[in-house]
Amino acid sequence: MCKPDPLPKERPASLMARFGIGLIWIYQHSLSLILGRACRYQPSCSHYTAEAMTRFGFWRGGWIGLSRIIRCNPYGASGYDPVPLSLPKTSRWYLPWRYGHWNGDHIDPKTRFDLKD
């Protein structure tokens, strides 16, 4: 008897998600080279958004990525911040701001770059 996988099987990215990921790829290979590759988080904001779009689709993943990009500023948090494995239970397509983490409170303090001992 096989054990069920702990994570749900990922389905292929939708056409819109592939389009968004393509735009991110263009940014990574053009504008990002000019602006510099200094991100406050690991993985970088563009990789995070691309992974979120792959996992959750263009709409949900885009909002998750937008929340990460907005908190990537000098006054924001920093550190290791992977894409969530599942969506919050309170999220709905018509309430898209509930998809993302809009502050850095969810990041483990041990992995933060901005907190000094």
Side-chain angles (χ1 to χ4, degrees), residues 14-109:
S14 67
L15 184 61
M16 281 300 295
R18 289 181 192 184
F19 176 74
I21 293 167
L23 291 176
I24 292 169
W25 185 89
I26 291 169
Y27 162 77
Q28 289 173 335
H29 292 86
S30 61
L31 192 58
S32 176
L33 299 173
I34 297 168
L35 296 176
R37 295 182 177 219
C39 188
R40 300 176 57 80
Y41 294 99
Q42 286 297 325
S44 69
C45 295
S46 58
H47 285 94
Y48 181 92
T49 304
E51 185 180 342
M53 284 185 181
T54 301
R55 187 173 292 170
F56 300 115
F58 181 78
W59 179 253
R60 293 177 181 107
W63 278 94
I64 292 169
L66 178 66
S67 70
R68 165 64 111 63
I69 291 166
I70 287 175
R71 64 185 149 94
C72 189
N73 64 67
Y75 303 107
S78 64
Y80 178 66
D81 180 26
V83 176
L85 297 175
S86 62
L87 296 172
K89 294 185 186 297
T90 60
S91 62
R92 302 288 181 267
W93 70 269
Y94 52 87
L95 302 171
W97 53 87
R98 291 187 180 178
Y99 292 126
H101 296 285
W102 297 93
N103 58 34
D105 295 342
H106 66 285
I107 299 173
D108 184 5

